[in-house]
Amino acid sequence: MKFQHVEWDSNDERALFIEEATELLASLEAGALADPPPLDAMFRAAHTLKGSGGMLGLTDWVDRAHRLEDAMDRRGRSEWTWTSDLQQLVLGTVDALRAELTGADVDQARMVWELIWDEACAMPGVRAYQAWDLIKSLVPGTQSEPPESTLADWHGSVSYLWVPASSVPAAAIAEALTSIEDLAHAQVVERAARADAPPTEAPHGDGSDSRRGQSERREATIRIGADTLEAILDGLGELLLDEGQLEYQWRDVLDPASRAVLDHLRRRALDLQDLTLRARMLPLDTLFRQYPRAIHDIARKLNKKIQLETEGGDTELDRVVMDRLHEPLLHLLRNSCDHGIELPARRLGQNKPETGSIRLKAFTAQGHVHLQLSDDGAGIDWQKLRDKAVRQGWMEPEEAARATEDQLADLLFRPGVSPADQITDISGRGVGLDVVRAFLDEIHGGIHVESQPGQGTTFHIEIPMTMAIMTALLVEVGPWTMGFPIAAVQRIDDLTKSSIGTLLGI
């Protein structure tokens, strides 16, 4: 029997099983990617998964968990070692069981197609919808990212198709896509059987008390949609505007008691606004936990050894910003894996550790969240970038010779620009960094690049903690009151009237 065929006594029972299973699967995945892996905890997780699946009569589930349990069982063995084959068995089992929880095909993965649209395309959303509709007719169940329901108003440059595994070969899909106008390039970027699996935290202990603890957490918390929080913030913003208008219009006639009531109203509204904003905040570890598996899969595909280290996962960020940050960060991580970290043999020849290191660090400073993504790879060859800038006509030879590293780094964020010598199915077409810059510009963030050839590259990203509210500097100019976003204010100078002149000298 499959998971989707189980008859539940209540929705709460089903939700509890999914929550427990998801945590155990996350524990197995995190353990398989750890060095060294916590084998005893992983064995207990596999044993618990087998038992919980057996209670429901999930035959395939139990069979997979039992094979994994046998493979990790060290009892009675004089020699037992952790191998890459065993690691892949663990990860494959995790993918299969996750897929069964979401009702996907447990035996086959989905192809993820990246569609890159021509810069001159006037209606990328319409073209992306046509591509989804065409491939869906070949392979039912194909999904679009962005979702097909939102493509009418979409104006991006890169979209994705999640195509279920079928008898239709990739070559046939590629040939079908050639009929779509304005499609500059289409490629398979990865395979995934767990695309919709939400990130979860690993359980503590052996899971024997998890059912009671999870039940207590559900009684103490409720789920509130982001749209609901957005509506609450909008309402509080309007309430504060109304209070400000009342105070301005009545400032000359308010008695002390009425003013005290308005002041209390404003303080309470600000407190509620702050509380709602904090409800929208999530620790960045929610995002960071998605990347170790992605790095593992990319490294395996590139025949490289790469270790991802994260720091500052407790730093909080607005969940709306975080959701949109995932794809830009993934682009940067792919570039670090493909173009930054060298092959093991080359690293050893350069007296570097065989395993490359990528570090993702987060911290807060001056009301912004800072992210530093560093690798110890080959770095950027600035001279090669100067030569490419001249060849492509982006700079004159003299200008390129005088260009600073910051000026050259700006070229990397142009559409179609890449320092790579060759194109791979991971990166190299100059698509990705322009998406990162566009996202940061939209949320009033920034990015800075530092690189030393042969030593590595660091991308420093600065983003606002939240986009829900914007602090403004109010300035009275004659009869008008104007507001300037604080993010756009560089400094405030104290000037006297006598020091101000006009073009006409009046």
Side-chain angles (χ1 to χ4, degrees), residues 108-385:
Q108 295 179 314
R110 293 189 291 176
M111 291 188 293
V112 182
W113 283 81
E114 183 180 62
L115 309 183
I116 302 169
W117 301 100
D118 194 294
E119 293 180 19
C121 178
M123 300 179 295
V126 173
R127 299 305 186 201
Y129 185 91
Q130 290 175 342
W132 166 76
D133 191 54
L134 173 63
I135 301 306
K136 186 190 66 170
S137 66
L138 293 175
V139 185
T142 296
Q143 296 176 337
S144 171
E145 178 60 37
E148 53 271 14
S149 60
T150 66
L151 288 176
D153 299 319
W154 183 71
H155 299 284
S157 59
V158 182
S159 63
Y160 297 87
L161 292 176
W162 297 76
V163 183
S166 68
S167 58
V168 180
I173 295 175
E175 182 177 357
L177 288 171
T178 59
S179 65
I180 303 297
E181 294 182 16
D182 299 320
L183 181 59
H185 182 67
Q187 63 180 0
V188 178
V189 293
E190 61 180 312
R191 289 179 178 268
R194 55 185 190 95
D196 301 322
T200 57
E201 295 197 4
H204 301 285
D206 61 4
S208 59
D209 297 325
S210 61
R211 187 179 298 269
R212 174 170 48 83
Q214 288 154 6
S215 177
E216 292 172 355
R217 285 200 300 273
R218 282 201 305 279
E219 292 175 1
T221 61
I222 59 174
R223 294 179 183 269
I224 300 179
D227 292 342
T228 302
L229 292 176
E230 194 77 29
I232 294 174
L233 281 173
D234 289 343
L236 288 170
E238 292 179 6
L239 181 62
L240 287 167
L241 286 175
D242 291 342
E243 183 275 335
Q245 285 183 332
L246 287 175
E247 186 173 3
Y248 179 77
Q249 293 172 1
W250 296 349
R251 64 183 184 277
D252 296 329
V253 298
L254 278 177
D255 58 86
S258 298
R259 184 175 295 278
V261 172
L262 277 179
D263 289 343
H264 181 263
L265 174 64
R266 181 172 183 81
R267 287 196 302 271
R268 294 303 299 154
L270 288 172
D271 289 343
L272 289 172
Q273 188 182 64
D274 181 66
L275 185 64
T276 308
L277 284 173
R278 281 189 277 121
R280 285 168 50 116
M281 306 294 279
L282 288 175
L284 274 167
D285 190 53
T286 305
L287 182 65
F288 289 176
R289 284 199 303 267
Q290 303 179 48
Y291 295 134
R293 177 63 188 276
I295 295 297
H296 170 271
D297 292 345
I298 293 171
R300 184 177 175 85
K301 190 171 187 177
L302 296 172
N303 294 319
K304 296 180 179 180
K305 295 184 178 180
I306 305 174
Q307 181 70 35
L308 175 65
E309 302 174 6
T310 60
E311 181 181 345
D314 56 346
T315 303
E316 292 190 331
L317 182 65
D318 190 317
R319 64 180 301 166
V320 176
V321 179
M322 188 184 300
D323 288 344
R324 298 180 58 195
L325 179 63
H326 169 69
E327 196 63 33
L329 266 185
L330 189 57
H331 277 303
L332 293 177
L333 287 167
R334 284 173 175 165
N335 281 339
S336 292
C337 291
D338 199 8
H339 306 313
I341 303 299
E342 309 94 334
L343 289 167
R346 184 174 180 181
R347 290 181 63 86
L348 290 174
Q350 297 173 345
N351 295 321
K352 290 184 176 182
E354 185 180 23
T355 300
S357 175
I358 298 177
R359 186 183 184 197
L360 185 55
K361 177 182 178 182
F363 60 93
T364 58
Q366 299 179 339
H368 283 70
V369 172
H370 296 256
L371 294 165
Q372 290 181 342
L373 194 154
S374 307
D375 65 63
D376 64 348
I380 298 173
D381 189 329
W382 297 111
Q383 187 55 48
K384 184 183 296 184
L385 192 54

Side-chain angles (χ1 to χ4, degrees), residues 1-8 10-11 13-22 25 52-53 56-62 96-104 106:
M1 182 170 61
K2 302 291 185 181
F3 176 76
Q4 56 266 35
H5 300 146
V6 175
E7 294 184 4
W8 302 92
S10 67
N11 289 332
E13 183 183 3
R14 181 179 185 276
L16 181 60
F17 179 88
I18 292 177
E19 187 175 2
E20 288 184 341
T22 301
L25 292 172
S52 59
L56 296 177
L58 302 177
T59 53
D60 289 346
W61 179 292
V62 171
L97 298 187
R98 272 183 176 153
E100 182 159 348
L101 283 178
T102 60
V106 300

